[in-house]
Amino acid sequence: MLNARLSPQSVKAVRLLLVVGVAFLFSTVSFAASSNVRWPKATWQDLAKKVGTSEDVRDAAITQLKTLVGLNSKLKKAIYTSDRPLALDVISALDLKDMIPDLLLHVPADPDGFLTVAVNAMMTDKNQTQILNSYQENLAPEQLPRVSPGAIVAMLEPLGRLAIKLPKQVLRGLSVHASPEVRSSLLYYQRMMALRHGSYENLDLVTNMLRAKEFQIRLQAVSVSAEVLGLTAKTKIQTSGSAGLADLKTVCEAEKAKQIREACLNFLASGEGK
């Protein structure tokens, strides 16, 4: 009988093979176990609650959800029930783009913007025009009173990101909206249009919001105006309607609360320096 001894290099190689083999065995068993997981009596709501858990359970839940008969119909009915969050989770997890036409009908009454955000997440080159056209129709002055603030906020983000120029009449209506969240989102839209897309139209609306009753809106308007000033000064682009540096300093110095005044001046300094 041969009494062979392995070299240190061979021992290391064997150990590595054992580690890899054990890891592969565990991953195979884990995958097999997760792929066989089923909940025979589970409702779509039960499965929806598992979508936000571990990856293995999530995958198994999604697989089973795809087999449910009439799921889309159930999700449509659930959108405005207490199961609404679960329905939106399932729609997003399954990427149910065929539901977009139905979802768009519900956007105006979307109470918190979550449904609209779900639509945004499913936007592709194929359905982008349909979605953006629907959003612009919702923001028209005659439609705006029937649209929830949450939906408006969620619609403005992709419109600004994709450089969709909204008519002055639409922007004017948004700039005097009762909801400060809507006006804040409009400032963000204006910022994207100016700084990201080089569109400096309607900056007078930003200037008007320097006089907003909410200090948060005033500070945001100062910040956006200062950033635009800083960029146009470097590029020597001529703009109309935007506030000058002296105007912005006047707004900041008029703030009575010391912390707000200092924050305003900091926004002004940081924006102007860009």
Side-chain angles (χ1 to χ4, degrees), residues 132-149:
L132 296 180
N133 285 346
S134 176
Y135 287 179
Q136 291 176 81
E137 291 172 4
N138 288 331
L139 295 176
E142 63 273 15
Q143 297 295 330
L144 195 60
R146 293 186 283 274
V147 183
S148 76

Side-chain angles (χ1 to χ4, degrees), residues 121-254:
M122 293 189 287
M123 190 183 300
T124 65
D125 291 339
K126 292 184 178 179
N127 60 31
Q128 178 176 294
T129 299
Q130 176 191 21
I131 294 172
L132 296 180
N133 285 346
S134 176
Y135 287 179
Q136 291 176 81
E137 291 172 4
N138 288 331
L139 295 176
E142 63 273 15
Q143 297 295 330
L144 195 60
R146 293 186 283 274
V147 183
S148 76
I152 296 173
V153 169
M155 287 188 286
L156 281 174
E157 191 281 328
L159 289 170
R161 175 165 42 85
L162 297 171
I164 304 300
K165 291 186 178 182
L166 296 172
K168 182 65 172 273
Q169 190 178 9
V170 170
L171 298 177
R172 187 179 291 113
L174 294 172
S175 71
V176 295
H177 198 281
S179 168
E181 288 79 13
V182 167
R183 284 178 277 131
S184 176
S185 294
L186 174 61
L187 284 169
Y188 182 66
Y189 166 87
Q190 291 285 78
R191 181 183 184 277
M192 282 194 288
M193 294 299 291
L195 301 183
R196 186 181 298 184
H197 306 300
S199 176
Y200 300 98
E201 302 169 18
N202 306 309
L203 290 176
D204 57 308
L205 298 178
V206 177
T207 301
N208 291 343
M209 282 190 273
L210 293 170
R211 298 186 293 272
K213 62 181 180 180
E214 302 90 355
F215 75 86
Q216 296 94 333
I217 300 297
R218 295 196 298 271
L219 294 184
Q220 188 179 356
V222 166
S223 177
V224 172
S225 298
E227 286 185 284
V228 172
L229 275 177
L231 181 62
T232 54
K234 290 180 180 179
T235 57
K236 298 184 179 179
I237 296 174
Q238 297 296 320
T239 62
S240 60
S242 58
L245 181 58
D247 298 320
L248 299 180
K249 286 184 177 178
T250 299
V251 172
C252 290
E253 290 169 354

Side-chain angles (χ1 to χ4, degrees), residues 19-34:
V19 170
V20 172
V22 171
F24 176 77
L25 177 62
F26 274 112
S27 63
T28 302
V29 171
S30 175
F31 174 79
S34 63

